Amino acid sequence: MSVKTLPLVHIETFGCQMNESDSELVRAMLKQEGFVFTEDRERADVVLVNTCAIRENAHKKIYLHLSELKAVKKQRPLVVGVLGCMAQNLKSELADKEPLIDVLAGPDSYRQLPSLLTTALDAQEQGLARKRFALDLSEYETYEGILPDRNDGVNAWITVMRGCDNFCSFCVVPYTRGRERSRDPESILLEARDAASRGFKQITLLGQNVNSYRHEEWDFARLISAVADQPGIERVRFTSPHPKDFPPALIEAIATHPRICKHIHLPLQAGSDRILELMGRTYTGAEYLALVERIRMTIPCIVLTTDIICGFCSESDEDFQATVRLLEQAQLDSAYIFKYSERKNTIAARKYADDVPDQLKGQRVTRLVEIQRAITAERNRRYIGKTIEVLVEGDATRSSTQGMGKTDGNITVVWDKHTGHAEPGTFLTKHIVDASAATLYGA
């Protein structure tokens, strides 16, 4: 096959919103060079797998997926590329998977993909097995000047900064995405205007620690307010901040700007001060609770969500009980709760033993999930009898006869379509008649 016949590319994305955003950048760069994308993997000349390195489950899914591609590649010519954090973090391991993987590209190397894939396709045509790697981390790459090729939908992701300087001991991000660097605010505003012109009603600003955003005289509070001021944008969200440096100006911006959503995802990770110190989180449980109180005093209607890791290195029953107590005190609206899984090259992997039995980790996750579900159900019941504006996203997951959308606070609402059908991207007003730990029910 000649690469001049416009190779078909299929991209599959695993992991976080940042990976979704990166896949949109990759599509834009490859399309500029004449590559054509297909949703049908069976038609593709190139399959790109954009990977996540944060959770063990993501690794398992990706390895299973690669084994499927290996079978496909035995049947027909196929160039396989692995992109993203897993490519960066496990490059030696993945490079040994001959002859499956032809291209490895880390998060800072996507500008090289057109030439990497062209070379791989040429080599395949000649019957050669040549791997192409681009895995250098950059102190400067922010992909300025590239407008993403976005998926259809309601929300547009905009990455405002890349990398992270926090070096939490459990986290691989500084080693897979490099050090913090913030984008020029004017390019972010240009991207926001472009998204609005394409019909997106909501923008989510992305960064590993968005409240560290700095570009000359701009901080994150100024940036998010400027994005929310763009005509056509109705809602602006962001993820994720760090509790260690949540500035008052950002709290004030969320409180006062009508188009900045009243929702903050505020990762806790653990309630034990000893474990927080081992994690390198630089705050205590008391300081986290004080921040929660300060936010709620300023924004009474705020929806607060969090992340928690169970079974971090040396976590004792006493440490776990501290997390239980903090979760019960904080009364957060919801939580993503995970078992700790050691990640290669992190500080924790080098310094601490992963010594909490997996079964015990699972029991602790189950216990916290039970506690949080009860809290979430109770907090959701506050909305019963109220009328709430909902941004329509599409059909409900469980039934095409129901519509689904999100509140300003990012809570899912479902309703029977006969009570009010609307296209994705439009707003409906719903009277909440019931609530569960996962969903509000509207009429």
Side-chain angles (χ1 to χ4, degrees):
M1 188 200 79
S2 170
V3 296
K4 295 178 181 178
T5 61
L6 296 178
L8 290 175
V9 181
H10 177 73
I11 188 166
E12 298 169 344
T13 307
F14 296 82
C16 67
Q17 301 99 324
M18 192 75 75
N19 280 15
E20 295 286 351
S21 178
D22 280 358
S23 288
E24 294 173 348
L25 288 173
V26 167
R27 280 200 303 273
M29 286 183 276
L30 289 177
K31 283 184 176 181
Q32 287 176 0
E33 299 299 324
F35 290 82
V36 177
F37 279 77
T38 176
E39 294 297 316
D40 184 359
R41 187 179 77 177
E42 299 310 310
R43 296 180 59 224
D45 306 299
V46 177
V47 172
L48 299 177
V49 184
N50 193 359
T51 62
C52 176
I54 301 300
R55 306 288 181 201
E56 185 64 27
N57 282 344
H59 274 198
K60 290 178 180 177
K61 286 180 182 178
I62 292 161
Y63 278 124
L64 178 62
H65 197 64
L66 291 176
S67 69
E68 294 174 359
L69 290 176
K70 190 171 186 177
V72 174
K73 194 165 183 173
K74 287 179 179 178
Q75 299 169 9
R76 63 180 180 85
L78 180 68
V79 167
V80 175
V82 176
L83 318 180
C85 293
M86 192 170 166
Q88 189 75 46
N89 198 45
L90 300 179
K91 47 186 173 282
S92 298
E93 182 178 337
L94 291 170
D96 292 338
K97 288 189 171 291
E98 281 278 16
L100 174 63
I101 297 171
D102 304 287
V103 171
L104 283 174
D108 290 345
S109 303
Y110 296 146
R111 290 185 191 270
Q112 299 178 53
L113 272 175
S115 63
L116 292 171
L117 293 178
T118 298
T119 302
L121 287 160
D122 282 339
Q124 183 183 79
E125 186 177 13
Q126 298 169 35
L128 302 174
R130 292 178 181 167
K131 286 181 176 289
R132 297 296 174 201
F133 299 163
L135 296 164
D136 291 335
L137 291 176
S138 170
E139 296 180 11
Y140 310 104
E141 181 62 85
T142 59
Y143 297 105
E144 296 288 2
I146 300 170
L147 287 174
D149 184 72
R150 301 190 187 280
N151 289 322
D152 292 337
V154 170
N155 179 81
W157 310 107
I158 298 182
T159 300
V160 302
M161 59 189 298
R162 301 183 73 87
C164 186
D165 287 349
N166 288 324
F167 288 92
C168 300
S169 66
F170 56 81
C171 185
V172 76
V173 167
Y175 311 100
T176 60
R177 291 187 173 271
R179 305 301 295 269
E180 281 182 5
R181 60 268 191 204
S182 298
R183 288 180 58 190
D184 185 323
E186 293 304 324
S187 74
I188 295 168
L189 295 177
L190 173 64
E191 195 172 327
R193 289 191 289 271
D194 177 74
S197 73
R198 295 168 184 264
F200 290 93
K201 299 299 184 184
Q202 176 177 281
I203 283 175
T204 301
L205 303 181
L206 299 177
Q208 300 304 142
N209 179 19
V210 291
N211 42 1
S212 291
Y213 177 90
R214 291 290 184 280
H215 192 281
E216 297 177 353
E217 302 300 315
W218 289 70
D219 61 8
F220 188 64
R222 180 179 176 185
L223 177 69
I224 194 172
S225 298
V227 171
D229 285 339
Q230 300 307 304
I233 299 301
E234 301 293 337
R235 287 182 175 177
V236 181
R237 303 188 182 281
F238 65 98
T239 192
S240 292
H242 194 297
K244 72 180 176 66
D245 56 358
F246 207 107
L250 180 54
I251 299 175
E252 187 65 21
I254 298 167
T256 58
H257 201 298
R259 288 188 289 280
I260 299 178
C261 291
K262 308 304 181 269
H263 168 228
I264 299 172
H265 187 69
L266 193 64
L268 168 63
Q269 309 302 3
S272 160
D273 290 348
R274 186 182 75 85
I275 295 297
L276 286 169
E277 185 175 4
L278 289 178
M279 288 178 165
R281 293 295 287 173
T282 70
Y283 55 84
T284 65
E287 288 168 339
Y288 183 93
L289 287 172
L291 175 58
V292 167
E293 180 63 22
R294 189 159 70 249
I295 291 170
R296 283 179 170 156
M297 287 287 290
T298 309
I299 319 168
C301 63
I302 196 73
V303 172
L304 290 172
T305 59
T306 198
D307 295 329
I308 296 174
I309 296 172
C310 278
F312 186 71
C313 308
S314 79
E315 183 185 76
S316 65
D317 287 341
E318 182 180 351
D319 293 320
F320 175 67
Q321 289 304 319
T323 301
V324 169
R325 287 193 298 274
L326 196 147
L327 198 62
E328 291 174 335
Q329 286 178 272
Q331 293 288 298
L332 303 172
D333 291 88
S334 69
Y336 299 96
I337 301 168
F338 307 94
K339 289 192 291 186
Y340 171 67
S341 57
E342 185 177 88
R343 299 271 68 88
K344 187 177 179 181
N345 297 323
T346 60
I347 295 169
R350 297 195 301 268
K351 293 180 63 175
Y352 311 133
D354 182 8
D355 55 0
V356 179
D358 191 68
Q359 183 179 10
L360 183 56
K361 290 178 185 178
Q363 291 170 355
R364 289 175 177 174
V365 167
T366 299
R367 173 70 178 135
L368 289 186
V369 167
E370 289 173 349
I371 292 168
Q372 184 58 52
R373 280 185 65 83
I375 293 169
T376 301
E378 182 62 29
R379 293 190 68 79
N380 281 353
R381 280 194 284 272
R382 297 174 303 159
Y383 297 99
I384 295 174
K386 294 183 178 180
T387 299
I388 296 178
E389 187 178 64
V390 177
L391 178 56
V392 179
E393 294 192 358
D395 289 345
T397 304
R398 295 184 179 180
S399 173
S400 61
T401 67
Q402 292 182 312
M404 184 277 288
K406 294 292 181 71
T407 70
D408 179 273
N410 208 37
I411 301 172
T412 299
V413 181
V414 300
W415 61 92
D416 291 332
K417 285 183 180 177
H418 67 77
T419 68
H421 175 63
E423 294 299 314
T426 58
F427 287 88
L428 284 179
T429 300
K430 286 294 168 186
H431 183 73
I432 304 304
V433 296
D434 200 1
S436 71
T439 308
L440 305 179
Y441 299 94

